[in-house]
């Protein structure tokens, strides 16, 4: 009998505490997605499809209410099983994007982070604020480091880890992620106290 030598990649809950379901800096609130958020998620994604299609595989063929409901079902199960944690980005009581913590793109230590914003609210520093909240949340959960990755050509996504003091690790085309292609990878290590 053959035995697989592939190790199961650990999920965040295998190593770290579960993050808070709501985080806020006073202007940006991150709250755990709820099954009733499908219409709000769809509205934020639909208005942003021309921009999102270039960077997000899930947006490449459009986005429907069924897609939003499927995402919410998956993210609810992932949170409950500790595989990953996704939040709605909320500003002025309106859902304007999504962000999450997950397994890192390279290696097994720390957490990874992803985010997107609705096009009408970009350029206001909201994604940077959300990423700062997630970075601190990951450290509060016990993560030793946080990674952010983006398509190399996506300058707006690249600016966020730069502003937050992440260290550029390089460009990779072999990361442990769903997206394909050349990715820029950044990492911030937990400050030693």
């Amino acid at each position: 009998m053959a035995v697989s030598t592939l190790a199961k990649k650990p999920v965040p809950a295998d190593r770290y505490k579960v993050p808070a379901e709501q985080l806020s800096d006073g202007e940006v609130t991150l709250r755990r997605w709820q099954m009733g958020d499908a219409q709000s998620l769809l509205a934020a994604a639909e208005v942003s499809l021309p921009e999102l299609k270039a960077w997000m595989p899930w947006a490449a063929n459009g986005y429907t209410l069924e897609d939003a409901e499927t995402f919410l079902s998956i993210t609810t199960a992932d949170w409950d099983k500790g595989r990953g944690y996704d939040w709605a980005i909320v500003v002025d009581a309106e859902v304007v994007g999504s962000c999450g913590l997950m397994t890192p793109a390279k290696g097994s230590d720390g957490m990874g982070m992803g985010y997107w914003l609705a096009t009408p609210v970009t350029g206001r520093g909201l994604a940077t604020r959300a990423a700062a909240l997630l970075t601190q949340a990951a450290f509060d959960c016990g993560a030793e480091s946080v990674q952010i990755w983006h398509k190399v050509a996506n300058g707006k996504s690249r600016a966020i880890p730069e502003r937050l003091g992440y260290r550029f690790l390089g460009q990779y085309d072999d990361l442990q992620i769903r997206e394909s292609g050349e990715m820029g990878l950044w990492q911030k290590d937990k400050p030693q106290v």
Side-chain angles (χ1 to χ4, degrees):
M1 174 188 289
V3 177
S4 172
T5 58
L6 295 175
K8 178 186 159 216
K9 188 172 180 181
V11 298
D14 290 344
R15 301 187 58 186
Y16 308 117
K17 293 185 292 184
V18 175
E21 293 188 11
Q22 184 165 312
L23 308 165
S24 182
D25 69 1
E27 181 177 347
V28 172
T29 297
L30 310 182
R31 67 162 174 75
R32 181 179 173 180
W33 282 108
Q34 302 163 5
M35 289 304 296
D37 288 329
Q39 287 289 353
S40 297
L41 172 57
L42 177 62
E46 271 186 328
V47 71
S48 310
L49 281 175
E51 291 77 22
L52 291 173
K53 285 180 181 184
W55 315 118
M56 304 297 219
W58 55 263
N61 298 313
Y63 201 72
T64 65
L65 183 58
E66 183 178 349
D67 293 327
E69 290 168 342
T70 298
F71 167 77
L72 294 172
S73 178
I74 290 168
T75 194
T76 297
D78 283 351
W79 190 297
D80 292 344
K81 293 181 180 180
R83 292 187 295 238
Y85 309 102
D86 291 308
W87 290 263
I89 302 173
V90 180
V91 176
D92 298 328
E94 180 182 350
V95 172
V96 297
S98 183
C99 59
L101 292 171
M102 63 216 65
T103 57
K106 190 164 185 63
S108 59
D109 292 335
M111 291 181 161
M113 177 193 310
Y115 44 80
W116 65 268
L117 275 181
T119 302
V121 299
T122 59
R124 295 174 34 194
L126 301 175
T128 301
R129 295 173 81 113
L133 286 166
L134 287 188
T135 300
Q136 188 59 53
F139 292 154
D140 291 347
C141 289
E144 307 86 347
S145 61
V146 182
Q147 293 179 352
I148 295 176
W149 54 91
H150 58 85
K151 294 266 188 179
V152 170
N154 189 342
K156 287 183 179 183
S157 280
R158 177 188 178 100
I160 292 166
E162 286 177 334
R163 281 193 289 268
L164 293 175
Y166 277 64
R167 176 173 39 96
F168 185 63
L169 299 180
Q171 294 182 12
Y172 298 86
D173 61 5
D174 63 345
L175 297 177
Q176 303 161 232
I177 58 175
R178 290 186 187 123
E179 297 94 336
S180 61
E182 196 78 9
M183 298 285 176
L185 180 64
W186 300 77
Q187 182 169 303
K188 187 167 193 169
D189 297 323
K190 184 174 186 174
Q192 300 301 313
V193 181

